[in-house]
Amino acid sequence: AATDAPAATDAGDPASADTSLDPVKIGLIAQDEELLAFPEVRAVSQAMVEYFNAELGGIGGHPVELDVCGAGDAPEGHVACAQGFANADDVNIVINAGFLSNSAAASDILAGAGVPTLTLGNDFVDYLTPGVFTVDPGLPGLAQVFFVYAAENRGITTMSGFIADDPAFLPFIPVLDAIAASQGITVTEWVKLGFEPDLTGPVSAANTDNEGWVFVLADGAQCTAAAQAVQTVGYDGELFANDLCMSQDVAASGVLDGWSGPVVSSAPTIDGPDVAEINRILDTYGSDGVQTGGLAGWAIGSSIVARDVLEAAGAADANRVTALEALGSYSSSDVLGMADTVSCPGPGDWTGACNMAPLMITIVDGFFTAPDPFTQLDFTVLDFLLEG
């Protein structure tokens, strides 16, 4: 039977955890070292744990403790963190915040050790590995939402695609083409963009007659260069970008005004659901470095789900078996900043897809706004990827 998670949004009569009791641990693999880093995950997760302990009675009255293993941007550190948690008898759920191949490498070890895992939706394997779940629609969701939203909300039938000229991104082109076609959209071209500061040349070669342009880029610097090139070219159709492109600092610069794209949570928005409560929690319990942008929304949701799961699994008496059972049957409409339904497992073979509804935002005057509701997706349209 599904587990109805206790609401995590009521700030009414705070109940503090009993610090005389043994802590209940949540493991976190944080990619916050070296070049490609997401420091907001550690900071936000810690703020959420402080909130749990101060206002929600911890877990079953026991204080929650965040056990963090920091890693860099190569798989070796993530493998070491995963092995450490696999060997730790007092860690019964792990939030795996590794990026791309780092996530898969760590999740493989955690799943093999029977450790319930909440991971970042970097790749399709994250949704197909038993014992691994995500509250982020991730790349499978992003692969759909551009075209579902563009067709249903903007009436678009033709698009140009721009994609980072990187081996990690290019295999997604046929997937994106197939999903676009399923929504009645023809992607007439894919323009590969490098990482030079002036991308006017390749962007100016794209078809300005297409009704929409979609950008699947690697980071904020590449996004800024692409946006400046779009301004130079003077394209006036609909503009869409992925979440890696629309970082908070790039949006604040104003170069993306009028662009739309998906985020996992309403945390970075100014007018989405739960925004006031998210800001209150982070302002009250966050460190100076806490922020709502980047992967903050995912960290909020994953922390809430991890707490709910351990409470349902027996709190201080939880073990990996009971935690995996609770996570595999999790259902809640009270995950801060996320869609009304976060429910595990996902449909069909996509068992890890606990959240199938990203929020499409539009950037206005440098701020993320949420004029439309969460966009519900159907992961089974990706079943063609599993054939053969």
Side-chain angles (χ1 to χ4, degrees):
T3 301
D4 280 331
T9 60
D10 292 335
D13 302 322
S16 298
D18 186 345
T19 56
S20 69
L21 300 177
D22 291 335
V24 177
K25 293 184 177 182
I26 295 173
L28 170 65
I29 301 176
Q31 184 165 324
D32 53 8
E33 302 171 6
E34 300 175 24
L35 184 61
L36 186 60
F38 308 95
E40 67 273 16
V41 170
R42 183 194 294 250
V44 169
S45 300
Q46 188 61 58
M48 293 304 295
V49 165
E50 299 298 329
Y51 160 63
F52 299 155
N53 289 333
E55 298 188 23
L56 301 184
I59 295 177
H62 290 249
V64 188
E65 181 179 311
L66 190 67
D67 189 348
V68 184
C69 182
D73 51 16
E76 293 78 10
H78 295 260
V79 167
C81 285
Q83 193 60 61
F85 284 131
N87 295 336
D89 294 338
D90 57 351
V91 175
N92 295 308
I93 192 166
V94 170
I95 299 172
N96 175 14
F99 188 62
L100 292 177
S101 59
N102 299 333
S103 171
S107 290
D108 188 53
I109 290 173
L110 293 167
V115 182
T117 303
L118 286 162
T119 194
L120 189 62
N122 292 296
D123 208 341
F124 298 109
V125 69
D126 290 340
Y127 299 79
L128 303 170
T129 303
V132 177
F133 299 90
T134 177
V135 293
D136 178 0
L139 284 181
L142 297 183
Q144 298 181 65
V145 71
F146 289 126
F147 306 112
V148 173
Y149 179 83
E152 294 182 356
N153 294 70
R154 304 291 179 91
I156 288 175
T157 60
T158 60
M159 298 185 84
S160 294
F162 301 81
I163 195 164
D165 191 4
D166 184 292
F169 285 76
L170 300 182
F172 288 98
I173 290 177
V175 176
L176 295 168
D177 282 338
I179 297 170
S182 74
Q183 300 300 317
I185 295 175
T186 301
V187 182
T188 64
E189 60 189 346
W190 282 98
V191 180
K192 299 175 184 177
L193 297 182
F195 295 86
E196 55 269 30
D198 186 353
L199 295 173
T200 304
V203 170
S204 65
N207 187 351
T208 56
D209 291 332
N210 281 338
E211 298 159 346
W213 281 7
V214 59
F215 290 78
V216 183
L217 303 178
D219 58 24
Q222 190 180 37
C223 189
T224 297
Q228 291 170 340
V230 171
Q231 291 177 347
T232 300
V233 170
Y235 177 70
D236 59 1
E238 300 283 356
L239 292 162
F240 303 90
N242 60 323
D243 56 345
L244 292 177
C245 174
M246 301 184 307
S247 61
Q248 206 166 30
D249 58 337
V250 176
S253 74
V255 296
L256 295 179
D257 280 353
W259 292 49
S260 298
V263 292
V264 65
S265 162
S266 62
T269 68
I270 60 170
D271 59 354
D274 298 331
V275 169
E277 177 66 351
I278 289 169
N279 288 337
R280 182 192 73 82
I281 291 171
L282 297 184
D283 288 344
T284 303
Y285 301 105
S287 62
D288 291 340
V290 79
Q291 61 165 294
T292 59
L295 298 180
W298 173 83
I300 291 169
S302 296
S303 299
I304 290 171
V305 173
R307 174 190 176 270
D308 291 345
V309 164
L310 289 174
E311 189 143 52
D317 295 323
N319 57 52
R320 292 176 182 181
V321 173
T322 60
L324 187 57
E325 180 180 352
L327 180 53
S329 59
Y330 181 85
S331 181
S332 176
S333 59
D334 294 309
V335 180
L336 270 177
M338 293 196 170
D340 288 342
T341 302
V342 175
S343 180
C344 306
D349 291 321
W350 304 94
T351 55
C354 298
N355 181 354
M356 294 177 284
L359 182 67
M360 287 296 292
I361 62 93
T362 298
I363 299 176
V364 178
D365 295 330
F367 294 100
F368 288 3
T369 69
D372 297 301
F374 285 90
T375 300
Q376 191 67 34
L377 302 174
D378 179 6
F379 271 60
T380 61
V381 303
L382 302 172
D383 283 351
F384 72 91
L385 297 171
L386 309 177
E387 299 171 359

